[in-house]
Amino acid sequence: MTRIRPVTGPADPAVLEAAAILRGGGLVAFPTETVYGLGADGLNSEAVARIYAAKGRPATNPVILHVDGPDAARALVATWPEVAAVLAARFWPGPLTLVLPASEAVPSIVRAGGPSVALRCPAHPVALALIRAAGRPLAAPSANRSQHLSPTLAAHVASSLGDAVDLILDGGPTEAGLESTILDLSGPRPRILRPGPIAPADLVAVVGPVELWEGAVAAGEIQAAPGMAERHYAPRARLELVVPGAGLSRPQGRSAYVGLGSLPALPEGVRGVLLPLDAEVVGARLYALLHDLDDAGCEWILMERPPEDEAWLAVRDRLRRASAKETP
Ligand code: TXA
Ligand code: MG
């Protein structure tokens, strides 16, 4: 059985035990303000290889290094441009991941052999304490099997990864519920690779124009923006996005309907779930809801398509991926 240890705060002795496991090359799942991460010593290639094995993650998909601030970040990059300094000063600690040309200190496996490294300074006090106690950057993707839903609870980690993790630190539900915004600073212009809790407008206000990468790369191809396989973040149930208020056809099998702001009359046997028309709240609850529906044996989830405005960008992105058809 995987060990789950409750953690009450940064001074909890569980953090020290976790740090010792990490220094020894083991795997520790820990809470961040976005989702739970599956951590390993980011400078130890063998430890990072365990992350890939535990997740079933393709070797082409690099991992984020988690640091405790800009000073640690600078040691891991070949260049630290002014724009990175300004962004880190404004948004770190927080859910913003910066992609920059890597320094030689970054093992190849962390970069998936590429020239750049993704860096993030998480805002969760336990995550920060763990990075500091371990005394090195922590490689940490979301703590789930590759292509599955990200975990927002320790129990999600345990059911997705089981014995592959040496210790799970249980810090309760994560706050933002969606993965960090990823901003690529390694090209000519800042480019958002993954929308997240930090909105484009927040970035533009600090650094001027940013591009939004909207493409998607089929799984298995060389990935220009790695890890952005179209089907991702997916529940086991089939997820379909529907126009709010449109007539509901007779769903097959065990079904749920997720309404935003209101619920229409539902056919008998369809479980109704009402979420508020609030992007932040939906973002915080989305993965837990999909996990719950999966656990309840739900086969078909109909969810109302969120509004088109920027506040919903990250939620729309995850829903699009979660509802994408399986790639062969
Ligand atoms: O909120 C988060 O970012 C969470 C928590 C645990 O910090 N982490 C997370 O990691 O979502 P992961 O591995 O599930 O997603 C990271 C994404 C992947 O799509 C990966 O391809 C991309 O970041 N990535 C990592 N390194 C990159 C790089 N050098 N260049 C471009 N994309 C990179
Ligand atoms: Mg992930």
Side-chain angles (χ1 to χ4, degrees):
M1 268 305 284
T2 322
R3 235 157 38 83
I4 304 184
R5 219 180 138 171
V7 59
T8 50
D12 195 303
V15 171
L16 295 181
E17 192 207 347
I21 292 172
L22 290 166
R23 282 196 304 270
L27 299 185
V28 173
F30 61 93
T32 81
E33 78 279 30
T34 58
V35 300
Y36 275 76
L38 178 61
D41 177 348
L43 301 180
N44 175 341
S45 299
E46 275 172 43
V48 178
R50 281 198 197 117
I51 290 181
Y52 282 84
K55 283 181 60 87
R57 186 179 181 101
T60 49
N61 191 359
V63 294
I64 298 173
L65 288 184
H66 294 65
V67 294
D68 70 352
D71 289 344
R74 292 175 74 142
L76 300 166
V77 295
T79 58
W80 182 250
E82 179 63 15
V83 62
V86 168
L87 286 165
R90 170 71 182 80
F91 295 109
W92 282 6
L96 177 66
T97 296
L98 300 177
V99 173
L100 287 156
S103 79
E104 277 165 20
V106 180
S108 170
I109 187 169
V110 167
R111 303 177 269 111
S116 63
V117 62
L119 299 168
R120 153 160 147 77
C121 175
H124 197 294
V126 168
L128 275 178
L130 186 60
I131 296 164
R132 287 184 183 139
R136 59 206 73 190
L138 298 182
S142 53
N144 52 276
R145 293 279 305 168
S146 190
Q147 304 227 330
H148 288 222
L149 287 174
S150 291
T152 58
L153 288 173
H156 297 155
V157 181
S159 70
S160 188
L161 295 175
D163 291 340
V165 194
D166 297 306
L167 178 65
I168 301 173
L169 291 180
D170 183 355
T174 61
E175 198 185 317
L178 295 181
E179 303 83 351
S180 63
T181 302
I182 303 181
L183 186 68
D184 186 357
L185 297 177
S186 69
R189 263 177 307 280
R191 189 168 67 138
I192 295 172
L193 299 181
R194 178 175 73 184
I198 309 271
D202 300 335
L203 299 172
V204 170
V206 177
V207 298
V210 298
E211 287 175 10
L212 181 60
W213 180 79
E214 294 189 84
V217 186
E221 273 179 48
I222 306 275
Q223 304 194 338
M228 295 292 137
E230 184 60 359
R231 185 176 164 86
H232 214 122
Y233 313 107
R236 284 191 297 273
R238 170 171 150 214
L239 173 68
E240 229 174 277
L241 299 181
V242 298
V243 178
L248 191 57
S249 63
R250 180 123 206 111
Q252 296 131 23
R254 231 185 268 190
S255 320
Y257 183 96
V258 184
L260 296 178
S262 65
L263 270 180
L266 296 172
E268 184 134 1
V270 177
R271 173 169 162 191
V273 178
L274 177 60
L275 292 177
L277 192 62
D278 177 320
E280 243 175 75
V281 175
V282 172
R285 291 203 210 149
L286 180 66
Y287 288 151
L289 171 64
L290 296 178
H291 277 290
D292 284 349
L293 293 174
D294 267 349
D295 291 346
C298 188
E299 295 159 278
W300 196 17
I301 304 167
L302 296 155
M303 179 160 173
E304 290 182 354
R305 207 175 272 287
E308 287 300 316
D309 54 286
E310 192 184 280
W312 290 87
L313 184 69
V315 169
R316 278 202 311 273
D317 171 78
R318 302 308 189 276
L319 286 175
R320 184 169 56 77
R321 294 175 198 286
S323 60
K325 299 285 173 289
E326 211 68 70
T327 37

